[in-house]
Amino acid sequence: MATPRGAFVGSPETVADALQAWFEQGAADGFVIFEALPGQLALFVEKVVPILQARGLFREEYEGETFRDSLGLAVPPNRYTVARNDRAAA
C-alpha cells in the first residue's frame, strides 16, 4: 500500500527527522497531528516528542498557565466593565 503524500511513516527517529527537515526548510511552521488508529497519538507523544524535545524543536514547558499566557497575549479589556467604568466616571 502506498503512503499518502506528506505522511510521516516509520520509526520514531524517521518521523522526527522528517518533521525536523520540513520545519528547518521552511516547509511548515507547525503540524496538526491526528490519530488515524487508536493508540497512535499516545505512541507519537511517547516516542517522537521526546526526540524533538532533545533536539530543541518542541517545548518541554509552557510559559504560562493558559493558552493565552503561553502565546504571550494580553488579556483584552472586558467591554462590559469598560462601559460600566465609563458611565461611572461621567
PDB file of all heavy atoms in Angstrom, residues 8-50:
ATOM      1  N   PHE A   8       4.041  11.057   7.481  1.00  0.00           N
ATOM      2  CA  PHE A   8       5.304  10.744   8.133  1.00  0.00           C
ATOM      3  C   PHE A   8       5.172   9.347   8.720  1.00  0.00           C
ATOM      4  O   PHE A   8       4.448   9.141   9.688  1.00  0.00           O
ATOM      5  CB  PHE A   8       5.606  11.765   9.227  1.00  0.00           C
ATOM      6  CG  PHE A   8       5.751  13.166   8.701  1.00  0.00           C
ATOM      7  CD1 PHE A   8       4.740  14.094   8.841  1.00  0.00           C
ATOM      8  CD2 PHE A   8       6.901  13.547   8.038  1.00  0.00           C
ATOM      9  CE1 PHE A   8       4.876  15.388   8.363  1.00  0.00           C
ATOM     10  CE2 PHE A   8       7.050  14.827   7.542  1.00  0.00           C
ATOM     11  CZ  PHE A   8       6.037  15.748   7.701  1.00  0.00           C
ATOM     12  N   VAL A   9       5.870   8.398   8.112  1.00  0.00           N
ATOM     13  CA  VAL A   9       5.740   6.992   8.492  1.00  0.00           C
ATOM     14  C   VAL A   9       7.123   6.423   8.748  1.00  0.00           C
ATOM     15  O   VAL A   9       8.070   6.734   8.035  1.00  0.00           O
ATOM     16  CB  VAL A   9       5.043   6.186   7.358  1.00  0.00           C
ATOM     17  CG1 VAL A   9       4.930   4.726   7.725  1.00  0.00           C
ATOM     18  CG2 VAL A   9       3.689   6.777   7.048  1.00  0.00           C
ATOM     19  N   GLY A  10       7.240   5.589   9.774  1.00  0.00           N
ATOM     20  CA  GLY A  10       8.496   4.920  10.046  1.00  0.00           C
ATOM     21  C   GLY A  10       8.787   4.876  11.531  1.00  0.00           C
ATOM     22  O   GLY A  10       7.896   5.041  12.357  1.00  0.00           O
ATOM     23  N   SER A  11      10.055   4.685  11.852  1.00  0.00           N
ATOM     24  CA  SER A  11      10.466   4.628  13.251  1.00  0.00           C
ATOM     25  C   SER A  11      10.311   6.028  13.870  1.00  0.00           C
ATOM     26  O   SER A  11      10.193   7.028  13.143  1.00  0.00           O
ATOM     27  CB  SER A  11      11.937   4.189  13.341  1.00  0.00           C
ATOM     28  OG  SER A  11      12.774   5.225  12.847  1.00  0.00           O
ATOM     29  N   PRO A  12      10.326   6.116  15.192  1.00  0.00           N
ATOM     30  CA  PRO A  12      10.240   7.435  15.820  1.00  0.00           C
ATOM     31  C   PRO A  12      11.329   8.392  15.323  1.00  0.00           C
ATOM     32  O   PRO A  12      11.068   9.572  15.083  1.00  0.00           O
ATOM     33  CB  PRO A  12      10.395   7.135  17.309  1.00  0.00           C
ATOM     34  CG  PRO A  12       9.869   5.739  17.462  1.00  0.00           C
ATOM     35  CD  PRO A  12      10.274   5.045  16.187  1.00  0.00           C
ATOM     36  N   GLU A  13      12.534   7.887  15.120  1.00  0.00           N
ATOM     37  CA  GLU A  13      13.629   8.723  14.626  1.00  0.00           C
ATOM     38  C   GLU A  13      13.358   9.210  13.206  1.00  0.00           C
ATOM     39  O   GLU A  13      13.630  10.359  12.865  1.00  0.00           O
ATOM     40  CB  GLU A  13      14.963   7.969  14.679  1.00  0.00           C
ATOM     41  CG  GLU A  13      15.490   7.729  16.073  1.00  0.00           C
ATOM     42  CD  GLU A  13      14.808   6.552  16.778  1.00  0.00           C
ATOM     43  OE1 GLU A  13      14.100   5.751  16.108  1.00  0.00           O
ATOM     44  OE2 GLU A  13      14.951   6.458  18.002  1.00  0.00           O
ATOM     45  N   THR A  14      12.813   8.331  12.366  1.00  0.00           N
ATOM     46  CA  THR A  14      12.489   8.694  10.985  1.00  0.00           C
ATOM     47  C   THR A  14      11.420   9.777  10.947  1.00  0.00           C
ATOM     48  O   THR A  14      11.516  10.743  10.190  1.00  0.00           O
ATOM     49  CB  THR A  14      12.013   7.453  10.196  1.00  0.00           C
ATOM     50  OG1 THR A  14      13.046   6.467  10.229  1.00  0.00           O
ATOM     51  CG2 THR A  14      11.675   7.794   8.770  1.00  0.00           C
ATOM     52  N   VAL A  15      10.406   9.618  11.782  1.00  0.00           N
ATOM     53  CA  VAL A  15       9.329  10.617  11.838  1.00  0.00           C
ATOM     54  C   VAL A  15       9.881  11.942  12.355  1.00  0.00           C
ATOM     55  O   VAL A  15       9.603  13.007  11.792  1.00  0.00           O
ATOM     56  CB  VAL A  15       8.156  10.114  12.700  1.00  0.00           C
ATOM     57  CG1 VAL A  15       7.122  11.212  12.913  1.00  0.00           C
ATOM     58  CG2 VAL A  15       7.518   8.887  12.062  1.00  0.00           C
ATOM     59  N   ALA A  16      10.681  11.900  13.416  1.00  0.00           N
ATOM     60  CA  ALA A  16      11.280  13.119  13.962  1.00  0.00           C
ATOM     61  C   ALA A  16      12.186  13.785  12.922  1.00  0.00           C
ATOM     62  O   ALA A  16      12.168  15.015  12.777  1.00  0.00           O
ATOM     63  CB  ALA A  16      12.064  12.803  15.233  1.00  0.00           C
ATOM     64  N   ASP A  17      12.965  12.995  12.195  1.00  0.00           N
ATOM     65  CA  ASP A  17      13.836  13.546  11.141  1.00  0.00           C
ATOM     66  C   ASP A  17      13.016  14.262  10.074  1.00  0.00           C
ATOM     67  O   ASP A  17      13.381  15.352   9.623  1.00  0.00           O
ATOM     68  CB  ASP A  17      14.663  12.439  10.479  1.00  0.00           C
ATOM     69  CG  ASP A  17      15.744  11.865  11.384  1.00  0.00           C
ATOM     70  OD1 ASP A  17      16.073  12.495  12.409  1.00  0.00           O
ATOM     71  OD2 ASP A  17      16.245  10.770  11.058  1.00  0.00           O
ATOM     72  N   ALA A  18      11.908  13.652   9.665  1.00  0.00           N
ATOM     73  CA  ALA A  18      11.063  14.246   8.617  1.00  0.00           C
ATOM     74  C   ALA A  18      10.423  15.538   9.107  1.00  0.00           C
ATOM     75  O   ALA A  18      10.412  16.548   8.390  1.00  0.00           O
ATOM     76  CB  ALA A  18       9.992  13.253   8.177  1.00  0.00           C
ATOM     77  N   LEU A  19       9.901  15.532  10.322  1.00  0.00           N
ATOM     78  CA  LEU A  19       9.306  16.742  10.886  1.00  0.00           C
ATOM     79  C   LEU A  19      10.347  17.855  10.998  1.00  0.00           C
ATOM     80  O   LEU A  19      10.090  19.010  10.661  1.00  0.00           O
ATOM     81  CB  LEU A  19       8.689  16.453  12.263  1.00  0.00           C
ATOM     82  CG  LEU A  19       7.444  15.577  12.271  1.00  0.00           C
ATOM     83  CD1 LEU A  19       7.120  15.124  13.691  1.00  0.00           C
ATOM     84  CD2 LEU A  19       6.268  16.300  11.650  1.00  0.00           C
ATOM     85  N   GLN A  20      11.536  17.497  11.451  1.00  0.00           N
ATOM     86  CA  GLN A  20      12.611  18.470  11.590  1.00  0.00           C
ATOM     87  C   GLN A  20      13.011  19.039  10.233  1.00  0.00           C
ATOM     88  O   GLN A  20      13.197  20.245  10.083  1.00  0.00           O
ATOM     89  CB  GLN A  20      13.826  17.832  12.266  1.00  0.00           C
ATOM     90  CG  GLN A  20      14.968  18.805  12.465  1.00  0.00           C
ATOM     91  CD  GLN A  20      16.130  18.200  13.242  1.00  0.00           C
ATOM     92  OE1 GLN A  20      16.082  17.059  13.687  1.00  0.00           O
ATOM     93  NE2 GLN A  20      17.171  18.984  13.425  1.00  0.00           N
ATOM     94  N   ALA A  21      13.139  18.184   9.236  1.00  0.00           N
ATOM     95  CA  ALA A  21      13.539  18.646   7.903  1.00  0.00           C
ATOM     96  C   ALA A  21      12.506  19.619   7.335  1.00  0.00           C
ATOM     97  O   ALA A  21      12.864  20.674   6.808  1.00  0.00           O
ATOM     98  CB  ALA A  21      13.717  17.450   6.962  1.00  0.00           C
ATOM     99  N   TRP A  22      11.237  19.278   7.437  1.00  0.00           N
ATOM    100  CA  TRP A  22      10.186  20.178   6.933  1.00  0.00           C
ATOM    101  C   TRP A  22      10.242  21.514   7.657  1.00  0.00           C
ATOM    102  O   TRP A  22      10.160  22.572   7.038  1.00  0.00           O
ATOM    103  CB  TRP A  22       8.815  19.536   7.143  1.00  0.00           C
ATOM    104  CG  TRP A  22       8.408  18.591   6.065  1.00  0.00           C
ATOM    105  CD1 TRP A  22       9.121  17.541   5.564  1.00  0.00           C
ATOM    106  CD2 TRP A  22       7.175  18.610   5.357  1.00  0.00           C
ATOM    107  NE1 TRP A  22       8.398  16.899   4.600  1.00  0.00           N
ATOM    108  CE2 TRP A  22       7.198  17.533   4.456  1.00  0.00           C
ATOM    109  CE3 TRP A  22       6.045  19.404   5.422  1.00  0.00           C
ATOM    110  CZ2 TRP A  22       6.132  17.255   3.610  1.00  0.00           C
ATOM    111  CZ3 TRP A  22       4.988  19.114   4.583  1.00  0.00           C
ATOM    112  CH2 TRP A  22       5.040  18.055   3.677  1.00  0.00           C
ATOM    113  N   PHE A  23      10.384  21.471   8.970  1.00  0.00           N
ATOM    114  CA  PHE A  23      10.410  22.690   9.775  1.00  0.00           C
ATOM    115  C   PHE A  23      11.621  23.553   9.422  1.00  0.00           C
ATOM    116  O   PHE A  23      11.494  24.755   9.166  1.00  0.00           O
ATOM    117  CB  PHE A  23      10.415  22.329  11.261  1.00  0.00           C
ATOM    118  CG  PHE A  23      10.541  23.518  12.170  1.00  0.00           C
ATOM    119  CD1 PHE A  23       9.468  24.379  12.348  1.00  0.00           C
ATOM    120  CD2 PHE A  23      11.715  23.767  12.839  1.00  0.00           C
ATOM    121  CE1 PHE A  23       9.580  25.482  13.183  1.00  0.00           C
ATOM    122  CE2 PHE A  23      11.838  24.859  13.676  1.00  0.00           C
ATOM    123  CZ  PHE A  23      10.771  25.718  13.852  1.00  0.00           C
ATOM    124  N   GLU A  24      12.807  22.952   9.377  1.00  0.00           N
ATOM    125  CA  GLU A  24      14.031  23.717   9.126  1.00  0.00           C
ATOM    126  C   GLU A  24      14.122  24.241   7.700  1.00  0.00           C
ATOM    127  O   GLU A  24      14.791  25.231   7.445  1.00  0.00           O
ATOM    128  CB  GLU A  24      15.253  22.859   9.471  1.00  0.00           C
ATOM    129  CG  GLU A  24      15.395  22.665  10.968  1.00  0.00           C
ATOM    130  CD  GLU A  24      16.563  21.791  11.351  1.00  0.00           C
ATOM    131  OE1 GLU A  24      17.143  21.105  10.468  1.00  0.00           O
ATOM    132  OE2 GLU A  24      16.892  21.771  12.555  1.00  0.00           O
ATOM    133  N   GLN A  25      13.459  23.598   6.770  1.00  0.00           N
ATOM    134  CA  GLN A  25      13.478  24.057   5.379  1.00  0.00           C
ATOM    135  C   GLN A  25      12.370  25.071   5.097  1.00  0.00           C
ATOM    136  O   GLN A  25      12.217  25.524   3.960  1.00  0.00           O
ATOM    137  CB  GLN A  25      13.353  22.862   4.431  1.00  0.00           C
ATOM    138  CG  GLN A  25      14.557  21.946   4.489  1.00  0.00           C
ATOM    139  CD  GLN A  25      14.342  20.645   3.746  1.00  0.00           C
ATOM    140  OE1 GLN A  25      13.407  20.495   2.972  1.00  0.00           O
ATOM    141  NE2 GLN A  25      15.225  19.678   3.990  1.00  0.00           N
ATOM    142  N   GLY A  26      11.612  25.424   6.127  1.00  0.00           N
ATOM    143  CA  GLY A  26      10.552  26.408   5.963  1.00  0.00           C
ATOM    144  C   GLY A  26       9.310  25.876   5.278  1.00  0.00           C
ATOM    145  O   GLY A  26       8.459  26.649   4.844  1.00  0.00           O
ATOM    146  N   ALA A  27       9.199  24.572   5.170  1.00  0.00           N
ATOM    147  CA  ALA A  27       8.023  23.972   4.528  1.00  0.00           C
ATOM    148  C   ALA A  27       6.818  23.977   5.460  1.00  0.00           C
ATOM    149  O   ALA A  27       5.688  23.835   5.010  1.00  0.00           O
ATOM    150  CB  ALA A  27       8.333  22.544   4.087  1.00  0.00           C
ATOM    151  N   ALA A  28       7.070  24.144   6.763  1.00  0.00           N
ATOM    152  CA  ALA A  28       5.979  24.173   7.735  1.00  0.00           C
ATOM    153  C   ALA A  28       6.443  24.929   8.971  1.00  0.00           C
ATOM    154  O   ALA A  28       7.624  24.909   9.314  1.00  0.00           O
ATOM    155  CB  ALA A  28       5.586  22.751   8.121  1.00  0.00           C
ATOM    156  N   ASP A  29       5.515  25.622   9.607  1.00  0.00           N
ATOM    157  CA  ASP A  29       5.856  26.272  10.878  1.00  0.00           C
ATOM    158  C   ASP A  29       5.147  25.589  12.035  1.00  0.00           C
ATOM    159  O   ASP A  29       5.258  25.992  13.181  1.00  0.00           O
ATOM    160  CB  ASP A  29       5.541  27.762  10.844  1.00  0.00           C
ATOM    161  CG  ASP A  29       4.088  28.060  10.549  1.00  0.00           C
ATOM    162  OD1 ASP A  29       3.302  27.112  10.411  1.00  0.00           O
ATOM    163  OD2 ASP A  29       3.745  29.242  10.446  1.00  0.00           O
ATOM    164  N   GLY A  30       4.429  24.534  11.732  1.00  0.00           N
ATOM    165  CA  GLY A  30       3.742  23.742  12.740  1.00  0.00           C
ATOM    166  C   GLY A  30       3.039  22.579  12.068  1.00  0.00           C
ATOM    167  O   GLY A  30       2.952  22.523  10.842  1.00  0.00           O
ATOM    168  N   PHE A  31       2.563  21.660  12.858  1.00  0.00           N
ATOM    169  CA  PHE A  31       1.922  20.472  12.326  1.00  0.00           C
ATOM    170  C   PHE A  31       0.652  20.172  13.101  1.00  0.00           C
ATOM    171  O   PHE A  31       0.587  20.405  14.303  1.00  0.00           O
ATOM    172  CB  PHE A  31       2.854  19.255  12.423  1.00  0.00           C
ATOM    173  CG  PHE A  31       4.115  19.409  11.632  1.00  0.00           C
ATOM    174  CD1 PHE A  31       5.253  19.940  12.201  1.00  0.00           C
ATOM    175  CD2 PHE A  31       4.158  19.023  10.301  1.00  0.00           C
ATOM    176  CE1 PHE A  31       6.418  20.089  11.470  1.00  0.00           C
ATOM    177  CE2 PHE A  31       5.310  19.168   9.549  1.00  0.00           C
ATOM    178  CZ  PHE A  31       6.439  19.705  10.140  1.00  0.00           C
ATOM    179  N   VAL A  32      -0.338  19.659  12.400  1.00  0.00           N
ATOM    180  CA  VAL A  32      -1.551  19.165  13.041  1.00  0.00           C
ATOM    181  C   VAL A  32      -1.415  17.647  13.084  1.00  0.00           C
ATOM    182  O   VAL A  32      -1.313  16.994  12.045  1.00  0.00           O
ATOM    183  CB  VAL A  32      -2.814  19.578  12.253  1.00  0.00           C
ATOM    184  CG1 VAL A  32      -4.058  18.966  12.873  1.00  0.00           C
ATOM    185  CG2 VAL A  32      -2.930  21.093  12.182  1.00  0.00           C
ATOM    186  N   ILE A  33      -1.389  17.117  14.277  1.00  0.00           N
ATOM    187  CA  ILE A  33      -1.216  15.682  14.455  1.00  0.00           C
ATOM    188  C   ILE A  33      -2.580  15.090  14.818  1.00  0.00           C
ATOM    189  O   ILE A  33      -3.257  15.580  15.714  1.00  0.00           O
ATOM    190  CB  ILE A  33      -0.212  15.375  15.591  1.00  0.00           C
ATOM    191  CG1 ILE A  33       1.106  16.128  15.374  1.00  0.00           C
ATOM    192  CG2 ILE A  33       0.004  13.883  15.740  1.00  0.00           C
ATOM    193  CD1 ILE A  33       1.860  15.735  14.135  1.00  0.00           C
ATOM    194  N   PHE A  34      -2.986  14.056  14.096  1.00  0.00           N
ATOM    195  CA  PHE A  34      -4.241  13.392  14.404  1.00  0.00           C
ATOM    196  C   PHE A  34      -4.003  11.897  14.554  1.00  0.00           C
ATOM    197  O   PHE A  34      -2.988  11.372  14.126  1.00  0.00           O
ATOM    198  CB  PHE A  34      -5.313  13.685  13.344  1.00  0.00           C
ATOM    199  CG  PHE A  34      -5.040  13.026  12.022  1.00  0.00           C
ATOM    200  CD1 PHE A  34      -5.620  11.805  11.722  1.00  0.00           C
ATOM    201  CD2 PHE A  34      -4.221  13.631  11.092  1.00  0.00           C
ATOM    202  CE1 PHE A  34      -5.365  11.190  10.504  1.00  0.00           C
ATOM    203  CE2 PHE A  34      -3.959  13.025   9.876  1.00  0.00           C
ATOM    204  CZ  PHE A  34      -4.531  11.800   9.580  1.00  0.00           C
ATOM    205  N   GLU A  35      -4.942  11.253  15.175  1.00  0.00           N
ATOM    206  CA  GLU A  35      -4.821   9.833  15.466  1.00  0.00           C
ATOM    207  C   GLU A  35      -5.612   9.038  14.439  1.00  0.00           C
ATOM    208  O   GLU A  35      -6.839   8.970  14.496  1.00  0.00           O
ATOM    209  CB  GLU A  35      -5.333   9.574  16.881  1.00  0.00           C
ATOM    210  CG  GLU A  35      -5.154   8.177  17.352  1.00  0.00           C
ATOM    211  CD  GLU A  35      -5.513   8.039  18.818  1.00  0.00           C
ATOM    212  OE1 GLU A  35      -6.420   8.736  19.305  1.00  0.00           O
ATOM    213  OE2 GLU A  35      -4.883   7.203  19.477  1.00  0.00           O
ATOM    214  N   ALA A  36      -4.910   8.433  13.486  1.00  0.00           N
ATOM    215  CA  ALA A  36      -5.575   7.638  12.449  1.00  0.00           C
ATOM    216  C   ALA A  36      -6.054   6.301  13.000  1.00  0.00           C
ATOM    217  O   ALA A  36      -7.087   5.786  12.580  1.00  0.00           O
ATOM    218  CB  ALA A  36      -4.614   7.406  11.285  1.00  0.00           C
ATOM    219  N   LEU A  37      -5.325   5.759  13.939  1.00  0.00           N
ATOM    220  CA  LEU A  37      -5.693   4.492  14.579  1.00  0.00           C
ATOM    221  C   LEU A  37      -5.602   4.664  16.088  1.00  0.00           C
ATOM    222  O   LEU A  37      -4.746   5.400  16.575  1.00  0.00           O
ATOM    223  CB  LEU A  37      -4.746   3.372  14.142  1.00  0.00           C
ATOM    224  CG  LEU A  37      -4.757   3.020  12.660  1.00  0.00           C
ATOM    225  CD1 LEU A  37      -3.608   2.075  12.330  1.00  0.00           C
ATOM    226  CD2 LEU A  37      -6.086   2.383  12.285  1.00  0.00           C
ATOM    227  N   PRO A  38      -6.454   3.994  16.846  1.00  0.00           N
ATOM    228  CA  PRO A  38      -6.408   4.123  18.307  1.00  0.00           C
ATOM    229  C   PRO A  38      -5.009   3.822  18.856  1.00  0.00           C
ATOM    230  O   PRO A  38      -4.355   2.863  18.446  1.00  0.00           O
ATOM    231  CB  PRO A  38      -7.425   3.082  18.789  1.00  0.00           C
ATOM    232  CG  PRO A  38      -8.366   2.915  17.642  1.00  0.00           C
ATOM    233  CD  PRO A  38      -7.522   3.098  16.405  1.00  0.00           C
ATOM    234  N   GLY A  39      -4.553   4.684  19.751  1.00  0.00           N
ATOM    235  CA  GLY A  39      -3.263   4.488  20.396  1.00  0.00           C
ATOM    236  C   GLY A  39      -2.093   5.139  19.687  1.00  0.00           C
ATOM    237  O   GLY A  39      -1.003   5.247  20.247  1.00  0.00           O
ATOM    238  N   GLN A  40      -2.287   5.593  18.459  1.00  0.00           N
ATOM    239  CA  GLN A  40      -1.167   6.145  17.699  1.00  0.00           C
ATOM    240  C   GLN A  40      -0.730   7.521  18.202  1.00  0.00           C
ATOM    241  O   GLN A  40       0.446   7.852  18.176  1.00  0.00           O
ATOM    242  CB  GLN A  40      -1.502   6.216  16.215  1.00  0.00           C
ATOM    243  CG  GLN A  40      -1.687   4.848  15.579  1.00  0.00           C
ATOM    244  CD  GLN A  40      -0.466   3.966  15.753  1.00  0.00           C
ATOM    245  OE1 GLN A  40       0.613   4.298  15.282  1.00  0.00           O
ATOM    246  NE2 GLN A  40      -0.623   2.867  16.454  1.00  0.00           N
ATOM    247  N   LEU A  41      -1.669   8.323  18.686  1.00  0.00           N
ATOM    248  CA  LEU A  41      -1.309   9.635  19.218  1.00  0.00           C
ATOM    249  C   LEU A  41      -0.478   9.470  20.490  1.00  0.00           C
ATOM    250  O   LEU A  41       0.542  10.135  20.668  1.00  0.00           O
ATOM    251  CB  LEU A  41      -2.554  10.477  19.495  1.00  0.00           C
ATOM    252  CG  LEU A  41      -2.289  11.898  19.987  1.00  0.00           C
ATOM    253  CD1 LEU A  41      -1.454  12.680  18.988  1.00  0.00           C
ATOM    254  CD2 LEU A  41      -3.605  12.612  20.247  1.00  0.00           C
ATOM    255  N   ALA A  42      -0.889   8.549  21.347  1.00  0.00           N
ATOM    256  CA  ALA A  42      -0.125   8.270  22.565  1.00  0.00           C
ATOM    257  C   ALA A  42       1.272   7.763  22.215  1.00  0.00           C
ATOM    258  O   ALA A  42       2.258   8.156  22.851  1.00  0.00           O
ATOM    259  CB  ALA A  42      -0.860   7.257  23.437  1.00  0.00           C
ATOM    260  N   LEU A  43       1.361   6.932  21.203  1.00  0.00           N
ATOM    261  CA  LEU A  43       2.655   6.421  20.760  1.00  0.00           C
ATOM    262  C   LEU A  43       3.534   7.554  20.229  1.00  0.00           C
ATOM    263  O   LEU A  43       4.728   7.617  20.518  1.00  0.00           O
ATOM    264  CB  LEU A  43       2.448   5.356  19.679  1.00  0.00           C
ATOM    265  CG  LEU A  43       3.644   4.524  19.272  1.00  0.00           C
ATOM    266  CD1 LEU A  43       4.226   3.773  20.461  1.00  0.00           C
ATOM    267  CD2 LEU A  43       3.252   3.544  18.184  1.00  0.00           C
ATOM    268  N   PHE A  44       2.933   8.476  19.471  1.00  0.00           N
ATOM    269  CA  PHE A  44       3.662   9.637  18.956  1.00  0.00           C
ATOM    270  C   PHE A  44       4.201  10.479  20.119  1.00  0.00           C
ATOM    271  O   PHE A  44       5.365  10.870  20.132  1.00  0.00           O
ATOM    272  CB  PHE A  44       2.749  10.486  18.064  1.00  0.00           C
ATOM    273  CG  PHE A  44       3.400  11.717  17.523  1.00  0.00           C
ATOM    274  CD1 PHE A  44       4.148  11.664  16.365  1.00  0.00           C
ATOM    275  CD2 PHE A  44       3.266  12.930  18.174  1.00  0.00           C
ATOM    276  CE1 PHE A  44       4.765  12.799  15.860  1.00  0.00           C
ATOM    277  CE2 PHE A  44       3.877  14.074  17.680  1.00  0.00           C
ATOM    278  CZ  PHE A  44       4.620  14.002  16.518  1.00  0.00           C
ATOM    279  N   VAL A  45       3.346  10.738  21.095  1.00  0.00           N
ATOM    280  CA  VAL A  45       3.750  11.556  22.250  1.00  0.00           C
ATOM    281  C   VAL A  45       4.835  10.848  23.056  1.00  0.00           C
ATOM    282  O   VAL A  45       5.795  11.471  23.513  1.00  0.00           O
ATOM    283  CB  VAL A  45       2.524  11.878  23.138  1.00  0.00           C
ATOM    284  CG1 VAL A  45       2.943  12.518  24.449  1.00  0.00           C
ATOM    285  CG2 VAL A  45       1.559  12.781  22.386  1.00  0.00           C
ATOM    286  N   GLU A  46       4.724   9.553  23.195  1.00  0.00           N
ATOM    287  CA  GLU A  46       5.675   8.775  23.986  1.00  0.00           C
ATOM    288  C   GLU A  46       7.029   8.609  23.291  1.00  0.00           C
ATOM    289  O   GLU A  46       8.074   8.633  23.934  1.00  0.00           O
ATOM    290  CB  GLU A  46       5.070   7.406  24.270  1.00  0.00           C
ATOM    291  CG  GLU A  46       5.955   6.466  25.052  1.00  0.00           C
ATOM    292  CD  GLU A  46       5.319   5.094  25.198  1.00  0.00           C
ATOM    293  OE1 GLU A  46       4.085   5.005  25.322  1.00  0.00           O
ATOM    294  OE2 GLU A  46       6.080   4.109  25.169  1.00  0.00           O
ATOM    295  N   LYS A  47       7.011   8.454  21.963  1.00  0.00           N
ATOM    296  CA  LYS A  47       8.241   8.114  21.247  1.00  0.00           C
ATOM    297  C   LYS A  47       8.857   9.274  20.458  1.00  0.00           C
ATOM    298  O   LYS A  47      10.071   9.443  20.461  1.00  0.00           O
ATOM    299  CB  LYS A  47       7.982   6.948  20.272  1.00  0.00           C
ATOM    300  CG  LYS A  47       7.463   5.700  20.916  1.00  0.00           C
ATOM    301  CD  LYS A  47       8.525   5.031  21.741  1.00  0.00           C
ATOM    302  CE  LYS A  47       8.017   3.700  22.287  1.00  0.00           C
ATOM    303  NZ  LYS A  47       9.003   3.012  23.074  1.00  0.00           N
ATOM    304  N   VAL A  48       8.044  10.051  19.751  1.00  0.00           N
ATOM    305  CA  VAL A  48       8.574  11.085  18.854  1.00  0.00           C
ATOM    306  C   VAL A  48       8.813  12.398  19.581  1.00  0.00           C
ATOM    307  O   VAL A  48       9.849  13.040  19.392  1.00  0.00           O
ATOM    308  CB  VAL A  48       7.640  11.290  17.634  1.00  0.00           C
ATOM    309  CG1 VAL A  48       8.162  12.387  16.736  1.00  0.00           C
ATOM    310  CG2 VAL A  48       7.490   9.985  16.858  1.00  0.00           C
ATOM    311  N   VAL A  49       7.873  12.803  20.425  1.00  0.00           N
ATOM    312  CA  VAL A  49       8.002  14.088  21.112  1.00  0.00           C
ATOM    313  C   VAL A  49       9.298  14.188  21.919  1.00  0.00           C
ATOM    314  O   VAL A  49       9.992  15.204  21.837  1.00  0.00           O
ATOM    315  CB  VAL A  49       6.750  14.397  21.967  1.00  0.00           C
ATOM    316  CG1 VAL A  49       6.986  15.588  22.882  1.00  0.00           C
ATOM    317  CG2 VAL A  49       5.550  14.651  21.067  1.00  0.00           C
ATOM    318  N   PRO A  50       9.697  13.159  22.688  1.00  0.00           N
ATOM    319  CA  PRO A  50      10.969  13.275  23.416  1.00  0.00           C
ATOM    320  C   PRO A  50      12.179  13.491  22.502  1.00  0.00           C
ATOM    321  O   PRO A  50      13.123  14.200  22.869  1.00  0.00           O
ATOM    322  CB  PRO A  50      11.082  11.949  24.169  1.00  0.00           C
ATOM    323  CG  PRO A  50       9.679  11.478  24.318  1.00  0.00           C
ATOM    324  CD  PRO A  50       8.985  11.928  23.063  1.00  0.00           C
TER     325      PRO A  50
END
